[in-house]
Amino acid sequence: MAVEKRREGETIVLRLSNGPVNALSAGNGFVDQIAAAVDEAAGDPACRVIVIAGAGRMFCGGADIGDFDGAPTQVSRVRDVIAAVEACEKPVIMAIHGMALGGGLELAMAGHYRIAQAGSRLGLPEVTLGLLPGAGGTQRLPRLIGAGAALDMMLSGKPVTAEQAASSGLVDRLVDGDVVEAALEVARGAPPLRRTGALPVPVDLAEAVDARRAKLRAGLSQAPARIVDCVAALSDDLAAGLALEARLFGELMRSEASRGLRHAFFGERTVARIPGLAADVRPRDIRRVGVVGGGLMGTGIALALLNAGVPVTMVELRAEALSKAEAAIRKTIQRDVEKGRIGQDAADARMAAFTPATELEALAEADLVIEAVFEDMGVKKQVFSALDAITRPDAILASNTSTLDLDAIAALVADPSRVVGLHFFSPANIMRLLEVVRGRDTAPDVLATAMALGKRIGKVGVVSGVCDGFIGNRMFEEYLRQVYFLLEEGALPQQIDAAMERWGMAMGPCRTMDLAGHDIGWAIRKRRAVEQPDRPYSGVIDRICELGRFGQKSGKGIYVYPDGRTAQPDPEITRLIEDYSAEIGLQRRAIGDEEIVGRCLLALVNEGAHILEEGIAYHPVDIDMIYLHGYGFGRERGGPMFQADLMGLPAVLDRLRALAAGRNGWAWTPAPLIERLAATGGRFGDLDFQDGNAQ
């Protein structure tokens, strides 16, 4: 951590050096070092110009998000150093390479001249954290590039290229070579002071504000609306605009949405680290992957791999099904060409990396094989027994099972240490979650390889232990149990779905199951009836399945689908549900949205606590990331365990006990972990589970 200083004639070059992203950290004193270095250079009579650049691979990745939960003065110190740069009486040239994001770009905009290296990227991504640019970005960016372009940049949170920045006026000069040398060249010409905050209010202000305000959508995060408010307040009084920006930033920082989004930001980094894994464990080199099964899931997995540049051999024993899978893969890749996402050369390369085969022997030289056949233990055991004989002894064998016992599958292999679970979520080429299941004997380097492959193909990998349903589906089962009980007690599918979607789920549970298909769930419930007779489901969902209504794929499920895609309530299902309630002697009652959301959420929380205590998940945040990336849980809501902390675990425990005293109370027995944490004032967020044990 340092601000490196060197003198070049009458110019002082300050290089920011604070970790891999040069974060503007106030908590560790780095921001104060920048302020001191700028002040010293400004007071040096031999210095005429100051150049600020970044060491390492980027100019600055932005403010340290960890500071946001610290004392408010930490954020204020970032604002102070930016203001000091702009007020400097000597020209300050910003030499930008790599990335200038968030507070890093706000620092750059306070400079009097900006030079960017070709290929670098500049952006204000604060909206993705439920925040607004809080160090002058809302007041300075519109003055540089116009209100409309500035609003688009801040509301999307997406960075622009250096070339786009030069075209818009965000940077003054674009260079191909060394950006510091280019800055020194400009310094020798004694550039004039040009303070961004003194530039005039953009002429398109009113029109741009009205247009963007009209497009705002309702949501938990108020960041987009507050960004528009800040830009609307632009005037010749910069101080007033900065004061409004700082006040609104503080309000947003304390909001549930921003806290949830920041939780997700850190959570994605936490789950990438495997607790207890020795530092010298390295992932294996994966050059070719085999996929067994050409159905919907196998096709999606193959696409995910091909899109990341991983060669794939797909084995589907039925030639007709293999041809169908290959056609689907080709069609999807070509659609990316038509939409401008990739070029034709890239599409051709992806198809060239795809090898279809109808014999398992084609996988003899694969480095890793992913089984994606029907969710039936007998079928999977046959596949793994065959793969054990065909593949190289050092090849990794992975199962895409969503519920079955991975250890039982691994027992069919002579060396079970090479078996791991890779549970993709459908559609596998789109959904970001990858549950990486560690078996009892899974080797550490096999687990590391699975996580590395997930990252390579753009997935958020989360490690789960072995249990029925692993983390995600085991919890989802309890969620659905309450959904089906709610149906028989008085709610209707469209009410449940609307309540959960308004709260923040991407799709309500009934529509979700119609999309996924009820046949697999029905088979699981039949198995559960034998294995867990003391944990019954509502029979209403089975009555629907008995009619052959398996969801969107059959044209009918809980809803009907006249156009094959759009769910519409069906009076026949309403009658079926009402008749079932009468059949079991249950008087239907009015059920409010609050009860629907509360019961669904508490079912997830309680089961999640059981999973943590059993060591199936390493951290509470693992559960949250699974639900954000695999089950459509609203990112702004942070995840079920995060929500439990917001409610307060004593309140969660009280609600669980109240529900346990009512109908089907057996399903609400509080997890012992919740009881312990509630008694001690603990939070899930304070827990750090290492190898399944609370530390």
Side-chain angles (χ1 to χ4, degrees):
M1 180 188 71
V3 178
E4 303 168 3
K5 174 183 173 182
R6 91 170 192 264
R7 187 181 298 275
E8 293 284 345
E10 295 179 307
T11 300
I12 288 180
V13 178
L14 304 177
R15 277 195 182 268
L16 311 182
S17 179
N18 183 32
V21 300
N22 287 332
L24 293 179
S25 304
N28 68 5
F30 182 60
V31 169
D32 290 338
Q33 290 189 34
I34 298 172
V38 170
D39 185 60
E40 181 183 352
D44 186 338
C47 171
R48 293 179 60 230
V49 180
I50 302 168
V51 171
I52 298 180
R57 58 188 178 90
M58 68 175 64
F59 176 76
C60 178
D64 186 342
I65 297 173
D67 287 348
F68 295 170
D69 293 320
T73 54
Q74 292 184 338
V75 178
S76 295
R77 291 210 296 275
V78 175
R79 296 189 185 109
D80 291 344
V81 74
I82 288 174
V85 167
E86 186 170 68
C88 185
E89 293 297 335
K90 295 176 179 178
V92 179
I93 301 173
M94 298 294 178
I96 301 166
H97 80 289
M99 303 281 274
L101 300 176
L105 180 55
E106 289 176 296
L107 173 64
M109 288 191 291
H112 308 128
Y113 197 92
R114 282 162 295 282
I115 303 174
Q117 189 178 66
S120 54
R121 296 174 71 79
L122 302 87
L124 294 172
E126 287 84 354
V127 71
T128 64
L129 296 176
L131 297 169
L132 53 77
T138 67
Q139 302 302 295
R140 293 189 177 94
L141 185 62
R143 286 177 157 90
L144 287 169
I145 67 173
L151 280 167
D152 289 344
M153 195 167 159
M154 290 185 285
L155 292 172
S156 72
K158 295 178 181 177
V160 298
T161 65
E163 292 75 11
Q164 291 169 321
S167 175
S168 70
L170 179 52
V171 301
D172 301 293
R173 184 177 173 189
L174 186 66
V175 298
D176 290 320
D178 189 311
V179 71
V180 173
E181 288 303 316
L184 290 171
E185 178 186 332
V186 172
R188 287 189 284 271
L193 288 173
R194 186 191 63 161
R195 294 187 172 91
T196 305
L199 295 175
V201 173
V203 296
D204 69 334
L205 179 61
E207 179 185 357
V209 166
D210 288 346
R212 274 61 178 189
R213 205 187 293 281
K215 293 181 179 179
L216 291 174
R217 297 180 180 177
L220 186 64
S221 175
Q222 292 299 302
R226 297 298 167 260
I227 288 171
V228 176
D229 290 343
C230 285
V231 174
L234 276 165
S235 72
D236 293 335
D237 186 352
L238 176 66
L242 292 175
L244 174 67
E245 179 190 84
R247 178 173 65 80
L248 295 180
F249 180 88
E251 291 176 4
L252 290 173
M253 193 165 62
R254 295 185 293 273
S255 69
E256 177 186 341
S258 180
R259 291 168 65 190
L261 290 166
R262 279 153 34 212
H263 176 73
F265 176 86
F266 286 117
E268 288 165 359
R269 286 144 184 81
T270 300
V271 299
R273 300 188 292 270
I274 305 173
L277 198 67
D280 60 350
V281 173
R282 294 288 180 269
R284 302 183 190 180
D285 184 24
I286 301 298
R287 292 159 302 197
R288 175 167 286 276
V289 174
V291 175
V292 181
L296 183 65
M297 184 60 76
T299 299
I301 293 171
L303 274 165
L305 294 162
L306 293 168
N307 290 344
V310 181
V312 173
T313 298
M314 173 181 279
V315 172
E316 168 56 64
L317 303 183
R318 300 164 299 161
E320 183 179 348
L322 182 63
S323 296
K324 183 179 178 181
E326 183 175 8
I329 289 170
R330 188 181 302 278
K331 180 179 179 180
T332 303
I333 290 175
Q334 197 59 38
R335 189 183 305 128
D336 285 342
V337 175
E338 294 165 2
K339 293 186 176 181
R341 295 171 181 159
I342 60 173
Q344 188 60 52
D345 289 347
D348 293 343
R350 291 178 188 183
M351 286 309 304
F354 178 72
T355 303
T358 56
E359 301 291 339
L360 287 173
E361 284 74 13
L363 304 175
E365 295 304 316
D367 301 300
L368 182 149
V369 178
I370 303 171
E371 163 273 308
V373 299
F374 188 70
E375 186 74 351
D376 177 84
M377 182 62 85
V379 175
K380 290 185 185 290
K381 285 183 174 181
Q382 289 179 3
V383 170
F384 270 80
S385 294
L387 289 174
D388 191 37
I390 291 166
T391 56
R392 299 193 324 254
D394 64 334
I396 296 172
L397 302 181
S399 175
N400 180 55
T401 180
S402 58
T403 59
L404 300 177
D405 186 343
L406 185 74
D407 291 330
I409 293 171
L412 276 294
V413 177
D415 178 11
S417 73
R418 66 178 178 135
V419 176
V420 68
L422 288 178
H423 177 207
F424 288 81
F425 285 70
S426 185
N429 55 310
I430 296 173
M431 295 293 287
R432 290 193 68 203
L433 178 63
L434 178 63
E435 254 185 335
V436 176
V437 185
R438 64 182 196 277
R440 180 177 52 243
D441 300 310
T442 302
D445 67 326
V446 169
L447 189 60
T449 303
M451 290 292 283
L453 179 66
K455 182 178 180 180
R456 183 177 171 187
I457 64 176
K459 305 298 183 186
V460 176
V462 182
V463 177
S464 169
V466 174
C467 67
D468 200 337
F470 312 122
I471 296 172
N473 281 343
R474 174 172 160 180
M475 290 173 61
F476 199 68
E477 185 171 340
E478 297 310 311
Y479 175 79
L480 289 177
R481 194 188 308 276
Q482 291 306 313
V483 169
Y484 301 148
F485 284 154
L486 285 163
L487 288 177
E488 68 183 22
E489 290 171 25
L492 290 175
Q494 56 270 30
Q495 181 195 0
I496 294 174
D497 284 351
M500 296 309 299
E501 289 167 15
R502 277 192 296 269
W503 185 80
M505 299 294 283
M507 185 179 289
C510 298
R511 284 209 300 138
T512 296
M513 292 311 297
D514 267 7
L515 181 63
H518 292 279
D519 46 344
I520 294 176
W522 193 22
I524 292 172
R525 288 192 298 277
K526 290 175 181 177
R527 175 163 62 89
R528 291 282 193 274
V530 176
E531 298 170 348
Q532 301 176 353
D534 58 332
R535 297 184 65 81
Y537 292 87
S538 165
V540 69
I541 186 63
D542 290 345
R543 295 290 175 88
I544 294 172
C545 291
E546 287 165 5
L547 297 176
R549 299 178 63 135
F550 295 132
Q552 200 168 315
K553 62 186 176 184
S554 62
K556 291 182 178 181
I558 296 174
Y559 297 99
V560 290
Y561 297 85
D563 62 0
R565 293 175 59 87
T566 306
Q568 291 188 3
D570 187 350
E572 181 181 345
I573 292 301
T574 299
R575 287 192 297 272
L576 182 151
I577 292 170
E578 292 172 345
D579 289 347
Y580 182 80
S581 299
E583 179 184 328
I584 63 174
L586 194 60
Q587 179 67 45
R588 293 178 66 80
R589 61 184 176 86
I591 297 178
D593 288 2
E594 185 177 353
E595 180 181 350
I596 291 170
V597 172
R599 283 172 59 175
C600 289
L601 183 58
L602 286 170
L604 292 173
V605 170
N606 201 37
E607 194 64 21
H610 284 296
I611 284 170
L612 285 166
E613 190 142 43
E614 294 169 21
I616 302 301
Y618 287 128
H619 316 97
V621 75
D622 293 351
I623 293 170
D624 288 339
M625 294 308 100
I626 282 175
Y627 267 79
L628 294 189
H629 293 290
Y631 292 84
F633 203 100
R635 190 175 178 86
E636 295 162 350
R637 294 289 189 180
M641 312 316 283
F642 177 81
Q643 282 292 315
D645 281 345
L646 286 184
M647 287 185 270
L649 295 189
V652 168
L653 181 59
D654 287 346
R655 292 176 70 180
L656 288 173
R657 285 173 172 167
L659 288 164
R663 183 173 182 267
N664 290 314
W666 58 268
W668 294 112
T669 302
L673 178 58
I674 292 177
E675 293 182 317
R676 290 200 306 275
L677 289 174
T680 60
R683 301 168 60 254
F684 286 122
D686 297 330
L687 297 179
D688 182 19
F689 278 72
Q690 301 291 336
D691 296 325
N693 299 308
Q695 300 295 309

